[in-house]
Structures are given as structure tokens and as C-alpha cells.
């Protein structure tokens, strides 16, 4: 732990008096002028952007992070309530289309410093080594320009910084975690019981929720509102795991600043900084290096909205790669009804997972696989599930009154990257006058087979645990891709170090660079990829 | 009722479920909540916001629609339409819309008008003035269309719009939490007794644990 503190002091920079924000650190923050030529400006202070900021600030770079949303204070801004957490999500307008359109909002992306990890569940599994070569091994998806080995040291670093709690992990590249597994609540208990009875291996973790005190971050209080932002500071998000250390090393975080375009010099072919709007005023921050980290919808949208003479179809879009190969995971949720009370709202929704079905099974007609995890919807989300099942009226109320008896598992199915699943610009404009994103999604046959297979396994587990009835609803989870890394510019937007092929001082360091998604939640991998990109930059990649 | 704030009460909603958690009242715990959350939740049991977005005719249709969707008959009931109206006024959408749907405000206005049209065709009355039974039949017909066309809109996408807004407003209310045994906010106290069939001292056991809605015993 001492070693972590030497690399990243964030947890020790938070207050230890029961309040959650170090206001002093924010007030004393260094502030740059728009006219200063800073070393790096980062668009988006989420998983990828914050990691990059912290790494480079530590190395003495002058860095500014802009975020469209607020600089959150968990005490004042967040509530222990579902409906009251609406402001955590990116709810600027977006259009969804395709044969299987993917609803956005609360289910996909966040805004404000900390990004989507403010309201992510908190699962932090690694990808498997096989994820980096699915094209070679399985004939689907894509090969990454880097391998698991390249990322492994960064996985280990980030797991210590969050920190991650869980049992020894037997899947993928077997590894252990810095913290012991948490005790489980009703939903985790049901999963473990059902998995055991049906001969499936399930493990507690891996979650980025501190088990015990970590620096000045307290222990989890098992209150179940992880998806509404952790008011306790127990669940990791960059707001508390990377931003404090970045501030202490001279970074500026400029919140409420919506970036509307990337500046470009036609003569040198280099990025010059970013156009942004703050308090209604259009401004321009000069920078020697620009990194975009707005996540899989906003990053491609920003590139497409940054057209110039050199890039008539959007920056870095010479080969029509921007916005393509966007992925979501198929995330069916299967719930089981028990005579006993499960009360799944008590404990963090992320508790127990199984990656036994993650890899391609040669005996199955489909490629790649899925993982299974506890998910524990709160009442509003649960009601929307029930309504989606077709229940309404008195019937809906009866179902809802049965809430304490239900246990709910979710699968993450590795949907395959397809060129037609992409972001384009819609006719509709946002309040800044910028075209909004149109996100089109259609499933392929392999995707559909995975969802059915995952549903079968979840039903089997819940029945084995003693459920008398099970129901399933189809959902999606997570986004990655949209500006993927590749070995050359005809197949992607950035190289293995996150540097764009077309503009030498433009980087993308967020979930949009992932070429495949595995059956793992993506945040840890996004942070590891950004940390690796940072190492490349500090090694002289500017 | 305990706690310094002298909170309002969260009345038992007129019955659809039988009182499964007798005596359970989430607002009894308000003194254990952080003030920011407590303020928000208590605002929901106070006076609902004034209607600003819906016209009177739309308000009437929306109220009838939400009453039927949420199985609310007589008083007392949870006022959901003022909260939907507030969200539409403030354009607090879910952050996306289906490409084949107009934006939410227009979609609400149009779909309420179509309910009136359907209702007039079925029973010669505006939707709000039709009997509960006729209202249910009109709603059921929309649901039965699935992904098919309803007045030029995809019926399933209209269904999603209605139920998302209605469920969010209803299940944000402490009276609805009382009905389902959910204690609501849990900060800063948290939970000390997670686990199957484990309860906090202030949680109330389900009085009718075999009322499984799936096999009809709960009806
Ligand atoms: C409900 C939910 C549960 C999840 N659960 C998990 C989980 O358990 N485990 C997991 O690994 N992942 C989970 N995720 C996904 C995870 O949170 C994201 O994959 C991850 O945070 C993405 O990182 P990112 O850096 O790409 O973008 P983000 O973290 O989303 O950061 C992007 C930031 O950029 C800002 N931004 C965007 N555009 C602009 C602009 N033009 N100008 C200025 N700022 C801009 C946004 O405000 C945002 O703060 C979950 C997500 C959701 C929604
Ligand atoms: S359950 Fe734990 S990690 Fe989740 S919000 Fe509550 S205290 Fe934070």
C-alpha cells in the first residue's frame, strides 16, 4: 500500500473528517489561461481522461482537463435516491436507430469529473488474453495491435490504485487482488448457492470497492446505491482515485466546459488546442498535445464535428473509420423468485461473478462467450423491467410488492464488432448548435445466440438455488469502440499507443479505442490502456 | 413519526397489493438520512409541482393514463402527472429517443391526443371521461400492437415512453416504497444485516410471503 501512495496519493488527499471533498485542494488548484500553451489538454475527465491527467501531471507536464459536466461534491451533489440521480447521466439529446437500437442515458454514460465511473456498478475484471486476438483465434472481431502482456503491468498498477477486492481469480490470466473479497448479501448468496449446486464456478468480486479503509477512504456501508454515485467514497471513481493526485501535482480541472471542436493547423497538420464553451462563452485552450476522452459516443461525435479543409469528413476520418465498430454488450437480466426474502438492495449490486463461459467453446455453434454477475436493480429500474415484461396496472403493483423476494443476475455477452454499428451525425442540434449523435445498432446472429445461451445458464443457476419462477428481460450494457486502435490507418483511428494515425499530436484515451470488448466490464481496461498511453507520451511520444 | 424535520406522512396508497408490510413506514427513519437526500425525498410528499406543460385536456388524459398504468383507483394516491409535467417542462429526458419517435414533449402531447381519438371511436368520449374499463381496453389495444404502428408511431416505443415516465415518478415516492418493503435512502447508516431472510430492525417482514404474483395467488 505504501508503494501505491508513492505513485498516487489520491486516497490520502481526501478528508478524513467524515466529509468527502477536499475543497482546499480544489480552491488552490493551479489555473492556466486560454492563451497559455499547455503541454496537454484532455477532453473528458472520466476513466481514461483522468488516468492520463494524473500520470502526466506527476511527470511534470502542464495539463488541463476539460469536462462538460460539474466537478462533483458527493456530500452536496449526490443523493441516496434513484430518481434524484438523474443529473449524473449524460442526458443531452441523442438519437438511436438500427434494428436493435440501444437506449442511452442512465444505462450508458455519465458526465462530470469522474465520468461514467461515478455511477458505474464497480466491477473491475481484466480482459482475458484471448480478447486481444479474436480474429486470429476465432475468426471474429479484430486483433489488437497490443497484447495482454503489454497491458498486464498497467492492470496491476490500477488494481492497486482503485483498489480492487476479490477472491483469487482463476480465469483468463489467473491473478489475485490487493484486497480480500467483501462479505456478500442476499443476491450474492443466492448466486453462490445456485452456482455450487449446478457445478458452475463463481467467485466473489472483483469490485473496485474498498474492503477496509484505504487512505482516507472509508469502508463500504453496503447501502446498494453504487449506481447513484457513492456518497461514502468507498467505490472507486477517478474523482477520488486520480483527480486529487493530479491536482496536487499542478493539473487544472476545468469543469462545465463543453468542447465543441478540435483546433487544427492546416499548414503543420497538427492539433492546436480545443474550442470549448463555458458559461455560454466560446473559448479556445491552446495545447501542444490534445487527448480526447469523451467515451464512445461523444469522442466520435467530436471528431466528426471537427471537420476542416484537410479533413472534410471529420478529423482523423480519412478512411471512414470514425464512429465505426461501436459495441455494446448483450446484458440480459434473469431474475428468480424465492419464498425467502432476498432484499437485493442491501449490498453493492456488484458482488459475485463467473467467467466460466467467457471463452469460445468449440462444442457450441457460436464464437466467444459471456460472463455472469449479480446485478441488483433498485425499485425504479425494477419497475421498468416489470413494465418491459408487459405488466401494468394492478398487475404491475402486485409484481412490485413482491420485490423483496427476487434475486437478479445479469450476463455480459460479447457482441461482435461490426462496421455498421456506428455513430454518425444527426440532423438534430444540441443547445450549442452542434449536430447530435445518431447511434445505430444491429445485432448479428452470433450475438443473439450468446444471449440465449446466457439466459439458459442464469435460469439454471437460479433454479438450482431454489427459485420457483424465473423471468428474463433483454438489456444492453457498456459501450466501447467507435475510434478503435489498429495496426494501420485503414482499420482504425489510433495506434497501439492511442496516438491518432492522421494527426501526430492527437491522442484518444478512452473506451472508444477498444477493438473488442470480451465479456468483461470495461473500466479497468480503459484505465490501463490510458495509463499505457501516458507511459508512451512521457517516454517521448510528444 | 420521528425526526427533527417533522416530515409529512406517506399515506398507504389505495389498495392494489394488500398490505404486505404492515406498519412499515420509511419516513420513520428520516432522521437517519443525510440532509440533502432527506430534503429531496420529503419534497415528494409535499405539495406536487404546478402543472406547466400539459394543457388541461392533456393533463386529464395523462392522469387517467397514469392511474390505469399504475393501478391507482381511489384516494389516497401518489400524484405522478405533476412530476411528469415537471420533467417535460424542464426537458429532463432520459437522454435518448428512438429515431422513429418525436422528442419526448411532442411524443407525450401526440400520444395523449391519440388516446382521446381512440377513446372517442370506442365509446364516444374523451379518454379521461371514459370508464376505467374502457380506458383499460384502449390502453390494452396499444400494448397488443407490440412493434406495430399506432397513429404513425411505433406502439412499443410509445409504451416505453409512458411506462418509463410513470414508473419513475411512482416508485420515487415513499408511499410506493412502503408498499414494496423498500427502506429508501440508506446514507449514512448503511445496512448491517444483508443476506437471505435477514432484516434490519426497522425493516418489516412480508406478511404474505407466498403471494407470488406469477401463480396468481397474490390476486
Ligand atoms: C449504469 C452503468 C454501470 C456500469 N458498470 C460498470 C462496471 O461495473 N464496471 C465497468 O468496468 N464499467 C461499468 N460501466 C461502464 C464504465 O463506467 C465506462 O465504460 C467507463 O467509465 C468509460 O470510460 P471513458 O473514459 O471512456 O468515458 P467516461 O468515463 O464516460 O468519461 C467521459 C467524460 O467525458 C466528458 N465529455 C464527453 N464529451 C465531452 C465534450 N465534448 N467536452 C467536454 N467533456 C466531454 C463526459 O462528461 C465524461 O465525464 C458502467 C456504466 C454504466 C452507465
Ligand atoms: S454499497 Fe458501498 S460502494 Fe456502493 S454506494 Fe454504498 S457504500 Fe458505496
Amino acid at each position: 500500500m505504501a508503494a501505491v501512495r508513492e505513485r498516487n496519493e489520491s486516497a490520502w488527499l481526501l478528508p478524513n473528517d467524515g466529509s468527502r471533498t477536499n475543497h482546499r485542494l480544489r480552491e488552490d488548484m493551479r489555473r492556466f489561461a486560454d492563451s497559455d500553451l499547455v503541454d496537454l489538454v484532455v477532453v473528458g475527465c472520466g476513466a481514461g481522461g483522468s488516468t492520463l491527467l494524473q500520470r502526466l501531471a506527476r511527470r511534470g507536464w502542464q495539463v488541463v482537463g476539460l469536462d462538460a459536466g460539474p466537478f462533483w461534491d458527493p456530500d452536496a451533489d449526490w443523493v441516496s435516491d434513484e430518481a434524484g440521480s438523474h443529473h449524473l447521466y449524460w442526458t443531452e439529446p441523442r438519437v438511436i436507430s438500427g434494428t436493435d437500437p440501444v437506449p442511452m442515458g442512465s444505462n450508458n454514460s455519465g458526465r462530470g469529473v469522474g465520468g461514467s465511473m461515478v455511477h458505474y456498478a464497480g466491477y473491475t475484471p481484466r480482459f482475458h488474453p484471448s480478447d486481444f486476438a479474436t480474429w486470429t483465434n476465432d475468426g471474429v472481431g479484430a486483433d489488437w495491435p497490443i497484447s495482454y502482456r503489454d497491458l498486464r503491468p498497467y492492470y496491476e498498477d490500477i488494481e492497486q490504485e482503485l483498489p480492487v477486492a476479490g477472491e483469487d481469480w482463476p480465469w483468463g490470466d489467473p491473478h489475485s487482488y490487493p484486497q480480500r473479497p467483501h462479505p456478500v448479501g442476499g443476491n450474492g448468496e443466492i448466486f453462490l448457492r445456485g452456482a455450487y449446486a449446478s457445478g458452475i464456478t463463481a467467485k466473489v468480486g472483483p469490485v473496485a470497492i474498498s474492503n477496509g479503509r484505504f487512505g482516507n477512504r472509508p469502508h463500504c456501508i453496503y447501502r446498494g446505491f453504487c449506481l447513484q454515485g457513492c456518497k461514502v467514497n468507498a467505490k472507486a471513481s477517478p474523482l477520488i482515485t486520480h483527480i486529487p493526485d493530479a491536482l496536487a501535482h499542478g493539473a487544472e480541472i476545468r469543469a462545465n466546459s463543453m468542447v465543441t471542436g478540435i483546433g487544427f493547423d492546416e499548414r503543420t497538420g497538427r492539433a492546436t488546442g480545443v474550442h470549448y464553451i463555458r458559461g455560454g462563452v466560446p473559448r479556445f485552450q491552446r495545447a501542444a498535445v490534445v487527448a480526447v476522452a469523451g467515451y464512445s459516443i461523444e469522442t466520435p461525435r467530436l471528431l466528426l464535428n471537427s471537420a476542416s479543409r484537410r479533413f472534410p469528413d471529420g478529423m482523423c476520418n480519412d478512411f471512414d473509420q470514425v464512429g465505426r465498430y461501436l459495441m455494446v454488450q448483450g446484458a440480459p437480466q434473469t431474475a428468480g423468485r424465492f419464498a425467502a426474502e432476498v432484499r437485493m438492495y442491501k449490498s453493492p449490486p456488484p458482488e459475485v461473478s463467473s467467467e466460466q463461459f467467457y471463452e469460445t467453446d468449440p462444442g457450441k455453434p457460436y464464437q466467444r462467450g459471456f460472463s455472469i454477475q449479480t446485478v441488483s436493480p433498485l425499485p425504479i429500474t425494477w419497475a421498468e423491467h416489470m413494465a418491459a415484461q408487459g405488466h401494468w396496472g394492478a398487475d404491475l403493483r402486485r409484481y412490485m410488492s413482491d420485490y423483496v423476494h427476487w434475486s437478479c443476475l445479469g450476463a455480459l455477452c460479447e457482441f461482435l464488432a461490426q462496421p455498421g454499428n456506428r455513430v454518425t451525425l444527426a440532423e438534430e442540434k444540441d443547445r450549442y448548435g452542434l449536430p447530435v449523435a445518431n447511434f445505430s445498432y444491429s445485432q448479428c446472429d452470433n450475438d443473439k445466440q450468446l444471449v440465449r445461451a446466457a439466459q439458459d445458464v442464469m435460469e439454471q443457476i437460479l433454479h438450482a438455488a431454489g427459485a420457483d419462477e424465473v423471468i428474463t428481460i433483454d438489456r444492453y450494457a457498456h459501450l466501447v469502440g467507435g475510434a478503435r486502435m489498429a495496426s494501420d490507418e485503414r482499420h482504425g483511428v489510433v495506434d497501439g499507443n492511442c496516438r491518432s494515425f492522421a494527426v501526430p499530436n492527437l491522442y484518444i484515451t478512452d473506451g472508444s479505442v477498444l477493438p473488442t470488448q470480451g465479456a468483461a466490464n470495461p473500466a479497468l481496461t480503459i484505465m490501463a490502456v490510458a495509463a499505457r498511453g501516458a507511459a508512451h507520451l512521457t517516454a517521448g511520444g510528444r | 413519526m420521528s425526526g427533527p424535520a417533522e416530515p409529512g406522512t406517506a399515506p398507504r396508497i389505495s389498495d392494489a397489493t394488500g398490505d404486505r408490510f404492515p406498519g412499515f413506514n420509511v419516513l420513520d427513519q428520516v432522521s437517519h438520512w443525510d440532509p440533502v437526500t432527506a430534503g429531496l425525498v420529503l419534497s415528494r410528499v409535499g405539495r406536487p409541482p404546478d402543472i406547466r406543460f400539459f394543457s388541461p385536456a392533456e393533463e386529464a388524459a395523462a392522469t387517467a393514463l397514469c392511474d390505469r398504468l399504475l393501478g391507482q383507483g381511489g384516494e389516497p394516491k401518489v400524484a405522478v402527472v405533476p412530476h411528469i409535467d415537471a420533467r417535460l417542462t424542464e426537458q429532463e429526458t432520459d437522454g435518448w429517443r428512438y429515431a422513429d419517435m418525436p422528442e419526448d414533449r411532442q411524443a407525450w402531447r401526440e400520444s395523449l391526443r391519440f388516446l382521446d381519438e381512440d377513446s372517442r371511436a370506442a365509446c364516444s368520449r374523451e379518454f379521461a371521461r371514459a370508464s376505467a374499463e374502457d380506458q383499460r381496453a384502449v390502453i390494452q389495444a396499444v400494448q397488443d400492437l407490440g412493434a406495430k404502428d399506432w397513429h404513425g408511431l411505433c406502439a412499443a416505443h410509445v409504451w416505453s415512453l409512458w411506462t418509463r415516465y410513470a414508473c419513475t415518478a411512482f416508485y420515487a415516492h415513499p408511499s410506493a416504497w412502503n408498499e414494496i418493503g423498500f427502506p429508501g435512502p440508506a446514507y449514512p447508516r448503511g445496512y448491517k444485516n444483508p443476506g437471505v431472510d435477514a432484516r434490519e430492525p426497522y425493516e418489516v417482514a412480508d406478511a404474505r410471503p407466498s403471494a407470488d404474483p406469477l401463480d396468481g395467488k397474490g390476486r
Side-chain angles (χ1 to χ4, degrees):
Chain A
M1 209 148 92
V4 185
R5 186 173 180 178
E6 276 158 33
R7 289 190 287 115
N8 179 347
E9 206 174 5
S10 292
W12 290 265
L13 291 167
L14 295 165
N16 62 1
D17 61 359
S19 72
R20 307 301 183 207
T21 301
N22 185 338
H23 294 283
R24 189 60 200 264
L25 191 61
R26 293 192 189 176
E27 277 156 25
D28 291 349
M29 177 174 77
R30 179 159 184 192
R31 287 177 172 81
F32 295 94
D34 283 337
S35 53
D36 290 339
L37 180 69
V38 297
D39 294 325
L40 170 76
V41 65
V42 181
V43 182
C45 303
S50 302
T51 305
L52 182 69
L53 282 162
Q54 185 265 342
R55 293 300 199 257
L56 295 196
R58 275 243 156 199
R59 298 300 291 266
W61 286 41
Q62 299 192 336
V63 295
V64 177
L66 303 183
D67 201 286
F71 204 162
W72 300 114
D73 171 7
D75 286 320
D77 300 339
W78 299 347
V79 287
S80 194
D81 183 78
E82 246 186 316
S85 300
H86 194 265
H87 57 303
L88 298 184
Y89 314 130
W90 187 282
T91 53
E92 297 274 324
R94 286 164 173 171
V95 176
I96 61 172
S97 58
T99 56
D100 306 287
V102 177
M104 308 296 296
S106 64
N107 197 29
N108 295 83
S109 34
R111 61 189 273 277
V113 179
S116 304
M117 284 178 75
V118 162
H119 68 267
Y120 83 144
Y123 279 115
T124 44
R126 296 183 191 180
F127 280 19
H128 288 196
S130 66
D131 289 320
F132 297 77
T134 64
W135 178 251
T136 299
N137 295 336
D138 306 289
V140 295
D143 289 353
W144 294 44
I146 59 175
S147 70
Y148 174 82
R149 245 168 201 298
D150 295 317
L151 268 195
R152 184 166 61 191
Y154 301 96
Y155 274 139
E156 288 166 355
D157 283 353
I158 302 277
E159 281 167 357
Q160 288 169 2
E161 289 165 65
L162 293 177
V164 181
E167 289 187 75
D168 287 346
W169 215 244
W171 296 288
D173 174 28
H175 56 277
S176 54
Y177 287 108
Q179 287 193 340
R180 310 268 320 127
H182 284 270
V184 297
N187 206 17
E189 214 178 305
I190 297 276
F191 186 3
L192 288 172
R193 188 202 295 169
Y196 183 76
S198 42
I200 292 169
T201 306
K203 295 280 174 186
V204 180
V207 295
I209 298 174
S210 189
N211 189 2
R213 214 175 163 76
F214 180 72
N216 293 334
R217 284 169 52 198
H219 195 290
C220 168
I221 60 169
Y222 305 107
R223 70 194 244 285
F225 282 93
C226 303
L227 274 69
Q228 286 65 38
C230 180
K231 279 182 82 73
V232 178
N233 275 358
K235 188 192 75 172
S237 91
L239 182 71
I240 56 171
T241 62
H242 288 81
I243 294 296
D245 191 65
L247 293 185
H249 287 84
E252 178 187 346
I253 301 299
R254 215 173 286 162
N256 304 308
S257 299
M258 173 73 182
V259 175
T260 54
I262 301 164
F264 179 71
D265 185 334
E266 299 277 352
R267 192 179 55 81
T268 59
R270 293 172 71 87
T272 53
V274 293
H275 299 275
Y276 68 102
I277 298 182
R278 188 172 197 212
V281 181
R283 298 163 61 158
F284 184 79
Q285 174 66 55
R286 296 175 65 220
V289 179
V290 174
V292 182
Y295 206 8
S296 292
I297 306 289
E298 294 306 316
T299 288
R301 176 181 172 226
L302 180 61
L303 293 172
L304 294 172
N305 275 327
S306 298
S308 60
R309 206 144 38 89
R310 160 71 182 84
F311 295 110
D313 301 317
M315 194 170 275
C316 302
N317 203 18
D318 292 327
F319 298 94
D320 194 18
Q321 291 291 308
V322 172
R324 289 194 185 275
Y325 302 103
L326 224 160
M327 289 159 268
V328 295
Q329 281 162 336
Q333 292 189 351
T334 300
R337 204 270 175 190
F338 294 82
E341 292 181 7
V342 181
R343 298 194 181 251
M344 60 181 163
Y345 55 83
K346 289 163 60 168
S347 282
E351 294 194 280
V352 177
S353 40
S354 172
E355 293 175 5
Q356 182 164 329
F357 307 93
Y358 194 110
E359 302 284 340
T360 297
D361 176 348
K364 293 283 174 9
Y366 49 79
Q367 305 297 310
R368 306 304 297 160
F370 52 88
S371 57
I372 296 175
Q373 304 176 330
T374 48
V375 291
S376 302
L378 292 175
I380 291 174
T381 314
W382 186 244
E384 288 176 1
H385 288 3
M386 293 295 117
Q389 287 277 113
H391 301 296
W392 60 281
D395 187 37
L396 172 71
R397 294 269 294 283
R398 271 194 300 270
Y399 263 94
M400 287 300 297
S401 74
D402 211 39
Y403 175 59
V404 298
H405 293 281
W406 290 77
S407 160
C408 192
L409 303 180
L412 296 178
C413 303
E414 179 176 347
F415 282 8
L416 299 174
Q418 300 181 67
N421 289 339
R422 72 177 306 188
V423 164
T424 52
L425 297 178
E427 295 285 308
E428 185 176 336
K429 306 246 166 74
D430 68 7
R431 69 185 194 92
Y432 305 103
L434 289 178
V436 307
N438 182 329
F439 173 28
S440 173
Y441 207 89
S442 303
Q443 292 176 21
C444 66
D445 200 49
N446 200 75
D447 297 346
K448 293 175 183 160
Q449 292 187 48
L450 280 178
V451 169
R452 280 194 297 274
Q455 177 177 341
D456 286 348
V457 172
M458 289 190 290
E459 288 180 356
Q460 183 193 340
I461 291 169
L462 288 167
H463 279 307
D468 42 24
E469 305 278 357
V470 296
I471 56 172
T472 297
I473 57 131
D474 281 330
R475 278 180 79 255
Y476 302 101
H478 308 137
L479 295 162
V480 293
R484 70 179 181 179
M485 58 167 67
S487 51
D488 65 67
E489 60 196 5
R490 289 172 186 274
H491 295 95
V493 181
V494 299
D495 67 16
N497 296 322
C498 301
R499 185 208 289 249
S500 77
F501 289 114
V503 180
N505 64 337
L506 179 67
Y507 285 73
I508 301 175
T509 56
D510 63 10
S512 52
V513 303
L514 273 47
T516 63
Q517 60 180 348
N521 322 59
L524 181 80
T525 300
I526 294 169
M527 292 181 122
V529 165
R532 189 172 176 279
H536 159 79
L537 268 167
T538 51
R542 329 193 198 186
Chain B
M1 204 71 38
S2 72
E6 271 314 310
T9 49
R12 286 326 215 218
I13 311 163
S14 173
D15 201 34
T17 61
D19 196 5
R20 289 183 74 165
F21 303 94
F24 180 59
N25 181 12
V26 299
L27 291 182
D28 285 348
Q29 302 301 318
V30 78
S31 63
H32 297 279
W33 304 346
D34 69 281
V36 183
T37 304
L40 177 75
V41 173
L42 291 178
S43 77
R44 297 185 188 136
V45 295
R47 191 182 62 82
D50 292 328
I51 300 289
R52 289 163 289 168
F53 173 76
F54 288 130
S55 69
E58 288 163 353
E59 178 188 354
T63 304
L65 171 67
C66 291
D67 282 353
R68 298 293 82 76
L69 285 177
L70 295 167
Q72 295 208 94
E75 298 289 333
K77 67 177 190 180
V78 170
V80 298
V81 170
H83 294 281
I84 296 174
D85 183 273
R87 283 186 62 185
L88 295 171
T89 304
E90 284 146 29
Q91 305 211 46
E92 189 193 299
T93 69
D94 285 331
W96 55 275
R97 66 171 169 81
Y98 289 103
D100 61 7
M101 288 283 283
E103 50 95 19
D104 288 7
R105 305 196 323 159
Q106 194 186 336
W108 268 100
R109 286 206 205 283
E110 283 182 13
S111 62
L112 294 172
R113 187 157 45 83
F114 299 148
L115 280 176
D116 275 339
E117 282 178 27
D118 284 13
S119 177
R120 271 194 297 269
C123 63
S124 314
R125 283 193 202 150
E126 280 75 50
F127 184 70
R129 299 178 56 222
S131 69
E133 202 173 319
D134 286 341
Q135 288 169 348
R136 273 191 286 269
V138 169
I139 294 170
Q140 187 65 57
V142 179
Q143 188 187 35
D144 290 345
L145 282 173
K148 292 203 202 88
D149 179 90
W150 183 61
H151 298 277
L153 299 174
C154 167
H157 293 173
V158 174
W159 190 259
S160 154
L161 178 83
W162 290 343
T163 53
R164 273 184 285 125
Y165 276 80
C167 287
T168 300
F170 186 77
Y171 285 103
H173 197 281
S175 293
W177 299 339
N178 284 342
E179 183 174 281
I180 67 174
F182 172 67
Y187 181 76
R189 177 167 54 183
Y191 294 117
K192 306 220 164 35
N193 299 309
V196 174
D197 266 340
R199 274 180 297 277
E200 313 299 309
Y202 51 89
E203 287 177 319
V204 170
D206 181 5
R208 294 187 297 118
S210 59
D212 181 349
L214 284 165
D215 56 24
K217 273 184 278 180
R219 292 179 194 212

